[in-house]
Amino acid sequence: MLGVSVCLIVIGACLVTDGKISPAGMILFIILGILLCMTIIIYFFKIMPSYYFYLGLCSSFNNGEIHRKFFEKIPDLFPGIGGSFERLDSLLKEQDTLKLSTRQAEFLALQNQINPHFLYNTLDSIRGDALAFGIQGIADTTEALSSFFRYTITDTQNLVTLQSELDNVSNYFSIQQYRFGEKLSMHVDIPDDGYNLLQAECPKLLLQPIVENAIFHGLEEKSEAGMIKILIEKADDDLLISVCDNGVGMAEEQLIEINRSLNRISASSHGEDKNAGIALKNICRRIKLLFGEQYGIHISSIIGIGTKVDITLPLTRPEHS
């Protein structure tokens, strides 16, 4: 910029004749002045981003953070030191990775405290002690609890056979029966030719949450004995499962709202509607995600008589069967 100014002074001196500037010289001088102003403006537009980059970089260092966008500009703004900053960026990334690894290690340490194998081994030890002391009830309940956790925690597939799901419900009910005793009973009704139905696919943890709802919202409030019945049927190419209880039932307004909420659920919805309850809503959405919008859940209920949850699934079997 200093060189441009010197050139303008020399040119201006050359344009002066007998102490005066000719009109043509004046015009030329004005044009050169405009060029000088443009040069200054361009220079500042070029240097200001670097200046603000510098301020931002200093601020980031002071805050203990380096914004990635600054590193992206370094090779263009400072070609000579780009490599050094890239090495610094690499070191910072290593620090971030180390911190993340430390957090993961802490999480794994916590997770290992509830390691499934540790849980199973502990429950097996309790069961062994119960058998040794002749306490059959505790032994059976502990075995059911171990099987329930094994099914829930260890198996990660989305689809299981209906037989596996019924076995899990049976284990869950045994645990609850240890608490409630003879007040609760459960019966599973399967057609005589129901073997193929038991091999049909269904979402994992389909029935247990529904049975849990039946116990805690329908049967626990009753003073009389409560019963749960699970009906398995076939209708054309569909598998129909009904979970019935003789609990307290629900009011018509509540029933209408719950069914309306379940009908609004689709495979693409994200669960904003809370009226259907978390368990039913989760089951309904998983059914639609796995099988399609035409499948799902419908509820019937009468106050003082009980509640019935109808589940409709396609009748499919595992590919390996």
Side-chain angles (χ1 to χ4, degrees):
M1 190 168 71
L2 179 61
V4 174
S5 301
V6 172
C7 289
L8 286 174
I9 294 172
V10 172
I11 293 173
C14 295
L15 294 174
V16 175
T17 305
D18 297 331
K20 298 180 180 180
I21 301 178
S22 65
M26 179 62 72
I27 294 173
L28 180 60
F29 192 81
I30 292 173
I31 292 174
L32 291 173
I34 293 173
L35 290 174
L36 174 61
C37 292
M38 291 179 64
T39 302
I40 294 172
I41 292 172
I42 292 172
Y43 178 79
F44 274 101
F45 269 102
K46 182 177 180 180
I47 195 65
M48 287 304 288
S50 300
Y51 173 71
Y52 281 112
F53 164 76
Y54 170 75
L55 291 180
L57 189 62
C58 292
S59 175
S60 298
F61 270 114
N62 291 335
N63 293 332
E65 298 178 357
I66 299 296
H67 296 296
R68 301 301 177 199
K69 60 183 180 181
F70 290 130
F71 285 103
E72 295 174 357
K73 295 181 180 179
I74 286 174
D76 297 330
L77 297 173
F78 306 103
I81 62 173
S84 299
F85 273 94
E86 287 176 1
R87 287 192 293 274
L88 176 60
D89 187 32
S90 177
L91 289 174
L92 290 170
K93 287 180 179 178
E94 290 179 3
Q95 290 294 321
D96 291 342
T97 303
L98 180 60
K99 290 179 181 178
L100 179 60
S101 298
T102 302
R103 286 195 294 269
Q104 288 175 336
E106 292 171 351
F107 173 77
L108 288 174
L110 177 62
Q111 188 181 50
N112 285 335
Q113 295 180 38
I114 53 173
N115 185 289
H117 296 292
F118 169 78
L119 178 64
Y120 306 149
N121 292 338
T122 302
L123 291 173
D124 286 344
S125 297
I126 295 173
R127 178 176 179 273
D129 290 343
L131 287 174
F133 284 96
I135 312 174
Q136 190 65 43
I138 293 179
D140 292 342
T141 302
T142 305
E143 183 178 16
L145 184 61
S146 178
S147 299
F148 176 77
F149 278 126
R150 193 182 305 274
Y151 180 84
T152 305
I153 298 174
T154 305
D155 298 330
T156 58
Q157 66 268 34
N158 290 319
L159 292 172
V160 296
T161 64
L162 180 58
Q163 179 67 70
S164 298
E165 188 64 14
L166 289 172
D167 289 342
N168 183 61
V169 167
S170 178
N171 288 323
Y172 172 78
F173 189 79
S174 295
I175 298 167
Q176 293 299 333
Q177 200 170 31
Y178 182 77
R179 173 189 172 191
F180 290 100
E182 297 301 321
K183 182 182 177 180
L184 289 183
S185 63
M186 185 176 74
H187 175 70
V188 180
D189 189 354
I190 305 173
D192 294 336
D193 57 346
Y195 174 78
N196 289 333
L197 299 182
L198 294 177
Q199 302 310 306
E201 289 182 313
C202 68
K204 182 182 175 183
L205 296 176
L206 171 72
L207 298 177
Q208 181 269 325
I210 297 176
V211 172
E212 182 174 350
N213 273 352
I215 293 174
F216 291 104
H217 298 295
L219 302 178
E220 188 173 13
E221 299 179 17
K222 286 191 61 170
S223 56
E224 304 88 1
M227 182 185 68
I228 295 176
K229 180 179 287 188
I230 300 177
L231 307 175
I232 312 295
E233 300 176 283
K234 175 185 176 183
D236 297 327
D237 293 328
D238 290 340
L239 175 65
L240 306 180
I241 306 172
S242 299
V243 180
C244 312
D245 68 69
N246 63 340
V248 296
M250 66 181 75
E252 184 177 358
E253 296 80 7
Q254 181 185 8
L255 178 65
I256 291 173
E257 187 57 37
I258 290 177
N259 279 319
R260 184 181 292 123
S261 298
L262 290 172
N263 290 334
R264 284 197 294 262
I265 291 175
S266 66
S268 59
S269 62
H270 299 286
E272 294 84 358
D273 198 331
K274 299 179 180 180
N275 292 316
I278 295 175
L280 291 176
K281 180 175 58 181
N282 179 280
I283 294 169
C284 188
R285 183 170 298 106
R286 284 193 291 131
I287 289 173
K288 294 180 183 297
L289 280 168
L290 290 168
F291 301 119
E293 299 289 346
Q294 67 270 37
Y295 301 101
I297 296 175
H298 181 80
I299 303 177
S300 306
S301 186
I302 300 176
I303 286 285
I305 301 299
T307 301
K308 179 183 178 185
V309 180
D310 292 314
I311 306 166
T312 306
L313 304 174
L315 187 55
T316 60
R317 299 181 64 187
E319 295 180 0
H320 56 78
S321 62

